[in-house]
Amino acid sequence: MAETSLRTDPTTTASAPPDLPPLTDQAERLVDLGLVPTDPADGTLDAATLRRRAADLTGSGAPGALLVVHPRHLPPSALAPHLLRTVRTRGGEVERPGFVVEDMTDVDAFAPVPDLDLPDADVWAVLAPDRGDDLANASPEEAVVALAARSRTPLTLGEGAQWVLQSPGVLEPGRCFMTIGSRVRRADGSDDARTPALWISGGTGRDGAGRRGAAKIGWCWWRNRHTWLGFASAAARRA
């Protein structure tokens, strides 16, 4: 990739996302939400296996890590309604489910980019996740170079969605993120120009006022910049 001029937002600093609960607690949340069944069909990840893997990863030392379930078991479309955010309205506080933008009907087709070192496992831990606030106002094309220079790996859409599920406070007004570890591969082998992102709906346009403040899975363009979108990344993954 050609070197680009990185123009980040000078008003931001390196992000300090909210603390994640222990991996075993993250596993229980997925089970409690019904996302991992206790009595699965053949080939489906079961709750007992998830709990065991969370305990194993905890024992191997992964403080502050994010527990991730492979998208073959938890695709982004299934995660979206469970990305709950508490929103203050005139009538009091309400909990609103997340959603996928209407023009992203192929959300589950956003797969890991070819050079991403993703574990061949049903469950893994994402170490030291970071929202990448200091890269706000960079384009995805620029940010992927910057992350590589820092020896950090970009999060996939599935990883980013599971981060929001486990820690809703990671999405803040004006401080949200792209997940450039996922792209759609065209039939000719090239990448679709869209890059997935998670942010907070303003309740305008096709989102509808009833979704104001909800977590939103959408997309941006590979060469576009947004001052309110950082680039989520990790130090490493451990399976």
Side-chain angles (χ1 to χ4, degrees), residues 3 13 16 18 42 76 78 109 111 116 123 132 148 153 173 182 188 201 212 217 229:
E3 185 176 352
T13 58
D42 290 343
L116 200 70
V123 182
T153 177
S182 294
D188 64 3
S201 173
R212 185 175 184 274
I217 296 177
L229 285 174

Side-chain angles (χ1 to χ4, degrees), residues 20-38 45-51 53-54 57 66-71 73-75 78-80 82-83 122-124 158-159 161-167:
L20 281 159
L23 295 178
T24 50
D25 289 355
Q26 294 179 48
E28 289 304 322
R29 176 160 173 74
L30 294 174
V31 175
D32 290 344
L33 289 172
L35 291 169
V36 179
T38 54
L45 180 71
D46 64 273
T49 300
L50 177 64
R51 289 174 173 134
R53 292 296 299 123
L57 288 165
L66 170 68
L67 187 71
V68 172
V69 173
H70 197 287
H73 302 296
L74 284 183
L79 288 165
H82 298 281
L83 307 184
D122 290 328
V123 182
W124 63 87
E159 290 172 335
Q162 291 183 60
W163 193 11
V164 175
L165 184 147
Q166 297 290 355
S167 183

Side-chain angles (χ1 to χ4, degrees), residues 6-18 127-140 142-144 146-147 150 152-155 160 163 170-172 174-180 198 226-235:
L6 182 60
R7 290 178 284 180
T8 56
D9 185 349
T11 66
T12 60
T13 58
S15 55
L127 307 186
D130 184 88
R131 196 169 54 192
D133 291 355
D134 63 316
L135 290 175
N137 208 34
S139 69
E142 295 164 333
V144 72
L147 291 175
R150 300 174 183 183
R152 292 188 63 85
T153 177
L155 294 196
W163 193 11
V170 75
L171 290 185
E172 299 180 79
R175 292 290 180 267
C176 300
F177 59 87
M178 295 193 204
T179 53
I180 58 175
L198 292 104
H226 299 276
T227 59
W228 43 275
L229 285 174
F231 293 85
S233 69

Side-chain angles (χ1 to χ4, degrees), residues 21 60 66 175 215-216 219:
S60 66
L66 170 68
R175 292 290 180 267
K216 173 178 178 175
W219 54 271

